[in-house]
Amino acid sequence: MPADHASRRAALRGLLAERGLDAMLVTDLLNIRYLTGFTGSNAALLVSTDEDADESRTLICTDGRYLSQVAEQVPDLRAEIARASAVHLVSAAGRGPNRSWGFESHIVTVDDRAEWDGLDAAVSFVAAPRLVEQLRMIKDEHEIDLLRQACGAADRALADLIDAGGLRPGRTEKEVARDLEWRMFEHGADGISFETIVAAGANSAVPHHRPTGAILASGDFVKFDFGAQVGGYHSDMTRTYILDRAADWQRDVYDVVLRAQRAGREALAPGIECAAVDAAARSVIAEAGHAELFLHGLGHGVGLEIHEAPGIGAAATGTLVAGAAVTVEPGVYFPGRGGVRIEDTLVVREQSPELLTLTAKTLTVV
């Protein structure tokens, strides 16, 4: 199923009309990709609110390197070619009667804005932050399919790594991380979502530990936090294993985190406050006496970015909506000793959340 970029632009026009804006100048490349399908490294997009059926007033601009690419990826919009793409659109399309344009004030620099003002174009710029991100929070079925593929590539890569004996004492964190990353590519990933976390022993107590030359040893917790990209969409999954033998304290803390993660997953539903989802998982950890060892929020949205709206944490605002893709990732970390995090990527649905990361979560001693 192809992406319906025209419908996405139509949804943006609805938001612009609500704010009394004549157009939106989009300069964030991920938002341009979402609205048009264009994947080049330089572009600007002008979405006009007052449009006819053929979107003749909506323009994309990029530079000469992407002349063929923009024609192929965005055949339904008129493309203009200029190195300074945003400046070109302001200069060329902004003349005439005074017009009110929204712009991505959370992206545009002070210097860029000053340059636009200096062009003497008949445009009044109005801050319109995160309007496209608001649309991106609700995934369509095309996006969800790409997320499934990304999660599947990560699931299969981890299974391959373990089946091949790649998780064993004597290897380093870096060796295991690079091994896992290559296997994601073998299973269809276009890229990795972020630098893969492999954290062994005491390092597993560091939430975002970067792999080192530390050697995996018998009795270690080994925490994997990793993801694959497919079609620009990211997966995100964390699993924690134990090498050779498990101590009682490791079994206990793993059970607490597993129950907390289940509570967080089960709390996902349209209309539920994001902070309430966090509380559902956090209360399990607090009741076990480890409240101070859960050091971060429960989760976040995931899509074209690895971290996007909505945030799920104790201080989060807003409610979940159907179609949001989110993570649920509680953790308990004992400094200098070890820690556990379990994370899934899921889609909020009307009936029950759809689980996209399918690797088993039962305590596994490798």
Side-chain angles (χ1 to χ4, degrees), residues 26 50 57 95 97 106 113 115 118 128 148 156 181 292 301 315 357:
V26 183
D50 181 21
R57 298 181 186 86
R95 301 194 181 281
H106 61 300
R113 174 62 195 279
E115 183 176 15
R148 283 195 201 98
R156 293 189 295 273
E181 289 172 350
E292 74 285 359
T357 42

Side-chain angles (χ1 to χ4, degrees), residues 141 143-153 349 354 356:
E141 290 303 319
E143 294 176 286
I144 292 170
D145 183 60
L146 290 173
L147 288 167
R148 283 195 201 98
Q149 292 180 51
C151 290
R349 299 288 197 181
E354 179 184 351
L356 301 185

Side-chain angles (χ1 to χ4, degrees), residues 161-162 164-169 171 176 198 216 222 224 241 243 366:
L161 176 76
I162 294 173
L167 177 56
R168 64 179 185 271
R171 298 194 88 190
V176 175
V198 175
L216 280 60
V222 182
F224 292 86
Y241 298 98
L243 294 182
V366 179

Side-chain angles (χ1 to χ4, degrees), residues 51-317:
E51 275 289 14
D52 48 31
D54 63 1
E55 293 191 283
S56 60
R57 298 181 186 86
T58 289
L59 307 174
I60 186 169
C61 184
T62 185
D63 64 67
R65 294 172 297 167
Y66 300 111
L67 182 63
S68 298
Q69 183 176 329
V70 73
E72 178 182 348
Q73 292 183 329
V74 197
D76 52 343
L77 293 181
R78 190 174 107 209
E80 303 209 350
I81 303 300
R83 182 71 180 183
S85 296
V87 168
H88 175 79
L89 291 179
V90 173
S91 299
R95 301 194 181 281
N98 186 50
R99 305 184 70 195
S100 179
W101 285 13
F103 73 100
E104 296 174 303
S105 54
H106 61 300
I107 298 294
V108 173
T109 67
V110 172
D111 287 349
D112 285 340
R113 174 62 195 279
E115 183 176 15
W116 299 350
D117 288 340
L119 295 173
D120 196 29
V123 173
S124 172
F125 289 104
V126 178
R130 296 182 175 82
L131 289 190
V132 183
E133 286 85 347
Q134 180 179 330
L135 299 175
R136 282 171 46 193
M137 185 167 60
I138 302 175
K139 271 59 181 181
D140 59 33
E141 290 303 319
H142 172 78
E143 294 176 286
I144 292 170
D145 183 60
L146 290 173
L147 288 167
R148 283 195 201 98
Q149 292 180 51
C151 290
D155 279 324
R156 293 189 295 273
L158 182 58
D160 275 2
L161 176 76
I162 294 173
D163 290 346
L167 177 56
R168 64 179 185 271
R171 298 194 88 190
T172 68
E173 293 172 338
K174 282 186 176 180
E175 287 172 338
V176 175
R178 300 296 88 80
D179 190 350
L180 178 59
E181 289 172 350
W182 180 246
R183 292 174 190 273
M184 285 191 277
F185 284 104
E186 289 183 324
H187 284 287
D190 300 326
I192 59 174
S193 293
F194 50 90
E195 183 180 8
T196 296
I197 295 172
V198 175
N203 291 337
S204 63
V206 180
H208 277 188
H209 172 73
R210 301 182 70 179
T212 68
I215 297 173
L216 280 60
S218 178
D220 277 353
F221 272 134
V222 182
K223 181 182 67 192
F224 292 86
D225 188 347
F226 66 107
Q229 277 193 63
V230 173
Y233 284 78
H234 301 69
S235 71
D236 198 357
M237 178 170 68
T238 305
R239 294 294 185 267
T240 305
Y241 298 98
I242 304 174
L243 294 182
D244 286 342
R245 52 185 171 80
D248 288 343
W249 76 272
Q250 291 174 310
R251 293 182 182 275
D252 289 344
V253 69
Y254 193 95
D255 178 68
V256 169
V257 176
L258 182 62
R259 288 190 288 113
Q261 209 261 352
R262 183 183 304 117
R265 294 196 328 264
E266 292 175 350
L268 295 175
I272 300 298
E273 292 184 356
C274 294
V277 179
D278 180 275
R282 197 171 297 275
S283 64
V284 175
I285 293 173
E287 289 168 6
H290 301 316
E292 74 285 359
L293 300 177
F294 183 7
L295 305 172
H296 49 76
L298 181 66
H300 53 85
V302 62
L304 284 170
E305 294 177 278
I306 191 59
H307 291 97
E308 57 183 51
I312 303 177
T317 59

Side-chain angles (χ1 to χ4, degrees), residues 320-340:
L320 291 178
V321 292
V326 299
T327 67
V328 174
E329 49 181 299
V332 172
Y333 312 93
F334 293 90
R337 194 178 187 190
V340 175

